[in-house]
């Protein structure tokens, strides 16, 4: 075959070899060519250098054709190696020979240029002379046949236009190399990753919303959502499959986060998380954490919570994508498995097969959870309009002032809430002995001082927290069970108990609220003329976790700043005691009344007390400390009443809600005790028909009312005339 020599190449052949320094490019271990043209010693390197690069099975001409300018088109299509024309006797001078006779410098320059271009484009065939020989360590699929190695691109196509295979990304090359080097470990890692992805999806689909229901049996079930999801991912093409899997994974992660919130809300508030209303509670939770664990601890917990949310979303998304890709790679196996699971699910659902009571094997947990949340959103939106109508109806809204509370004229009234004072404190076997003993002892103090008491039960609108819902329910006569209702009622002009006393014009209304630490616009709604919050009580001592000051100090400050002063009218005082607020560590101690001072005496008591971390994870310790806090609050209040009360003093005190489920129990009621204490027997005679128990401790069979029923019953009992 003949070579078509370009003008550039012909100009190079005119140079004399001796004018250019010789450059040896032949590998040291290359075999000597067998059929080279007999030339002079000066010409030997020029012919042998390119021929030495070719494999032994390759014709010498094939290597010389690597130069793009000197290639023949037939070189890429002719599978049979042909003898080079240089072997035939030629009458021409060596200087006029075909490119095999080029100068060493020119050939070396072309070789280096070819190698440089090849290295830039990543073409494996031109990475160097050593790369042309088959690698004994390379996989069989990567070894090229000699004919392929010898093939060269069409000379009509420039180097820039020659297509090259894309080079794998670095991590793929590293992973591929590691996988080939450690195949067993790679398989174990792949199977482990798949197992983890499957476990993540199953747990997310079957996670209960209450802590006491989290057990192994709850996760060993067949989720119908997984069966439908697998069937869908199997039939989808690659791009839609990945998109659907990513969307489903994000949705599953979001549902998992909501499930965790449900568990937390059920544990603390006795209800699930409301996706419409409860976002505003996170700021209160942050404040509680900061008061309990300090600013650094609160920030750390918040950062951990955000990290966990992101991790859950990422983990569920990647898990669903991996399982979808695995099903697509093994379509036949995945299809059979999905069909078998579907048949098993239908069979178990039809027969009602269960692991235990309430735990069916055929699960629809996720679909039911989504349906419940959707209905909850719908109910919440409907409730807003309906409650606004209910709030406008008030049996005493138009009652004239002179017809309100005629049976209490001239009395100093106190309505006092004891934080988290619930029925469990009186009936739970861990807490009851200490609390009951305290109630008995304090009732004797009252009797000795000439007071009497009657007690009953009220069912609070809240549980475990959100005390303001209990306060507003008790004083407004409306069932305020969520934040939306609270905003609605406090934005209106509903008559509250303090507001009723104010409306008569016969009482001055004050509020003592050490838990209020910022502006409190609800003051006007409740009808409170003057408010003493945490900044106006003159306390100089330490905080006790969330509680800004001990109850004994708050009552002492009330006496010093308000009650001991001369008044033209009796007082109607609303007082909220906070020492029994969780986490119930440290707890204040009673000190001699004349040593309370500005509260500095409590520094040593706070330092010597327990830390929240000592009890917060231990249910029994939490119960014990909670019981002690209730004893402290009740004793502080009764001691104050005995010391500073008189014949005209009337005290109503109650709990705002039960403590959290970890203390009150997973199935505790929402009942709280309520007591009315007075020296004047006529005050208690007016409620004789209520059938409340004598003393500070209601009985098990004492009537139970909903908390919102108290306002109307109280107003009616003490002479108020309904006038809707």
């Amino acid at each position: 075959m003949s070579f078509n020599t370009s003008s550039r190449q012909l100009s190079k052949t005119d140079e004399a070899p001796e004018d250019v320094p010789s450059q040896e490019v032949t590998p040291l271990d290359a075999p000597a060519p067998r059929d080279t043209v007999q030339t002079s010693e000066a010409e030997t390197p020029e012919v042998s250098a390119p021929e030495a690069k070719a494999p032994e099975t390759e014709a010498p001409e094939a290597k010389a054709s690597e130069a793009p300018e000197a290639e023949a088109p037939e070189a890429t299509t002719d599978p049979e190696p042909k003898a080079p024309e240089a072997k035939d006797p030629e009458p021409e001078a060596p200087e006029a020979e075909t490119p095999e006779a080029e100068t060493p410098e020119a050939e070396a320059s072309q070789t280096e240029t070819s190698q440089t271009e090849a290295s830039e484009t990543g073409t494996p065939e031109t990475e160097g002379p050593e790369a042309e020989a088959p690698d004994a360590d390379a996989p069989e699929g990567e070894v090229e046949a000699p004919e392929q190695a010898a093939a060269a691109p069409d000379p009509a196509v420039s180097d820039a236009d020659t297509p090259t295979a894309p080079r794998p990304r670095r991590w793929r090359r590293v992973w591929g190399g590691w996988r080939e080097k450690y195949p067993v470990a790679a398989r174990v890692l792949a199977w482990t990753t798949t197992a983890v992805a499957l476990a993540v999806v199953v747990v997310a689909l079957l996670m209960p919303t209450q802590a006491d229901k989290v057990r192994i049996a709850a996760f060993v079930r067949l989720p119908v959502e997984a069966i439908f999801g697998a069937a869908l991912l199997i039939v989808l093409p690659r791009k839609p499959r990945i998109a659907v899997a990513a969307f489903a994974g994000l949705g599953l992660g979001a549902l998992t986060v909501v499930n965790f919130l449900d568990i937390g809300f059920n544990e603390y508030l006795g209800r699930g998380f409301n996706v419409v209303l409860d976002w505003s509670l996170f700021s209160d939770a942050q404040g509680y954490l900061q008061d309990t664990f300090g600013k650094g601890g609160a920030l750390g917990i918040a950062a951990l919570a955000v990290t966990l949310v992101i991790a859950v979303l990422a983990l569920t998304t990647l898990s669903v994508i991996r399982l979808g890709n695995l099903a697509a790679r093994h379509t036949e196996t995945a299809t059979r498995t999905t069909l078998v699971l579907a048949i098993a699910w239908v069979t178990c659902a039809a027969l009602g097969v269960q692991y235990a009571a309430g735990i069916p094997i055929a699960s629809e947990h996720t679909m039911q959870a989504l349906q419940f949340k959707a209905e909850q959103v719908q109910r919440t939106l409907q409730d807003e309009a309906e409650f606004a109508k209910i709030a406008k109806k008030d049996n005493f809204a138009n009652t004239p002032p002179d017809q309100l509370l005629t049976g209490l004229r001239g009395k100093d009234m106190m309505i006092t809430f004891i934080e988290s004072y619930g029925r469990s404190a009186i009936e739970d076997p861990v807490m009851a002995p200490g609390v009951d003993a305290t109630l008995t002892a304090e009732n004797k103090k009252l009797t000795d001082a000439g007071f009497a008491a009657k007690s009953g039960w009220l069912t609070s609108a809240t549980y475990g927290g959100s005390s303001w819902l209990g306060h507003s329910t008790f004083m407004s006569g409306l069932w305020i069970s969520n934040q939306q209702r609270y905003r609605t009622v406090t934005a209106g002009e509903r008559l509250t108990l303090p507001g009723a006393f104010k409306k008569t014009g016969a009482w001055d209304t004050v509020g003592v609220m050490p838990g209020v630490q910022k502006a409190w616009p609800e003051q006007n709604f409740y009808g409170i003329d003057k408010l003493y919050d945490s900044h106006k009580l003159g306390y100089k001592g330490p905080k006790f976790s969330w509680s800004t000051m001990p109850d004994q100090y708050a009552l002492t400050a009330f006496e010093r700043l308000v009650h001991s002063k001369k008044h033209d009218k009796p007082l109607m005082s609303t007082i909220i005691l906070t020492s029994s607020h969780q986490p119930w560590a440290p707890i204040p101690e009673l000190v001699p009344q004349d040593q309370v001072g500005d509260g500095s005496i409590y520094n040593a008591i706070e330092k010597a007390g327990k830390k929240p971390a000592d009890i917060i994870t231990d249910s029994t310790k939490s119960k014990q400390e909670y019981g002690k806090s209730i004893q402290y609050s009740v004793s502080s209040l009764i001691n104050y009443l005995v010391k500073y009360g008189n014949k005209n003093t009337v005290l109503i005190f109650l709990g705002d809600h039960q403590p959290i489920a970890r203390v009150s129990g997973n199935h505790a009621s929402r009942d709280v005790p309520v007591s009315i204490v007075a020296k004047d027997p006529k005050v208690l005679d007016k409620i004789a028909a209520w059938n409340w128990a004598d003393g500070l401790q209601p009985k098990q069979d004492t009537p139970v009312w909903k908390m919102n029923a108290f306002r109307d019953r109280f107003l009616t009992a003490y002479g108020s005339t309904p006038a809707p």
Side-chain angles (χ1 to χ4, degrees), residues 209 261-274 277-278 281 376 461-463 466 469 481-483 670:
T209 57
L261 290 174
D262 280 334
I263 292 174
F265 271 65
N266 280 312
E267 184 74 8
Y268 281 84
L269 302 180
R271 61 175 178 82
F273 176 72
N274 189 308
L277 303 176
D278 287 340
L281 298 181
Q376 184 185 59
T462 185
Y463 177 96
S466 301
L469 301 182
S481 57
N482 58 54
Q483 192 66 15
R670 294 192 174 203

Side-chain angles (χ1 to χ4, degrees), residues 507-572:
W507 281 273
D508 289 331
T509 57
V510 297
V512 178
M513 301 184 178
V516 175
Q517 303 178 52
K518 54 186 178 181
W520 195 56
E522 290 89 339
Q523 175 182 349
N524 293 329
F525 163 73
Y526 283 114
I528 295 175
D529 293 323
K530 191 167 185 179
L531 176 69
Y532 293 85
D533 60 14
S534 61
H535 306 292
K536 296 180 180 179
L537 293 172
Y539 182 64
K540 303 299 182 183
K543 293 180 67 174
F544 285 76
S545 293
W546 184 88
S547 179
T548 57
M549 63 192 70
D551 293 343
Q552 184 183 10
Y553 178 87
L555 292 166
T556 302
F558 166 67
E559 178 63 25
R560 182 181 73 249
L561 298 173
V562 181
H563 189 258
S564 63
K565 306 295 185 182
K566 290 185 178 181
H567 301 278
D568 296 333
K569 303 175 184 178
L571 289 175
M572 195 285 134

Side-chain angles (χ1 to χ4, degrees), residues 98-118:
T98 55
E100 286 93 332
E102 289 182 346
T103 62
E105 179 184 2
E107 186 174 13
S109 176
Q110 291 179 0
T111 302
E112 292 174 0
T113 302
S114 176
Q115 292 175 350
T116 302
E117 293 174 352

Side-chain angles (χ1 to χ4, degrees), residues 15-25 42 45-46 103-108:
E15 298 176 3
E18 55 270 15
D19 295 338
V20 182
S22 176
Q23 298 182 11
E24 181 62 47
V25 296
E46 302 169 7
T103 62
E105 179 184 2
E107 186 174 13

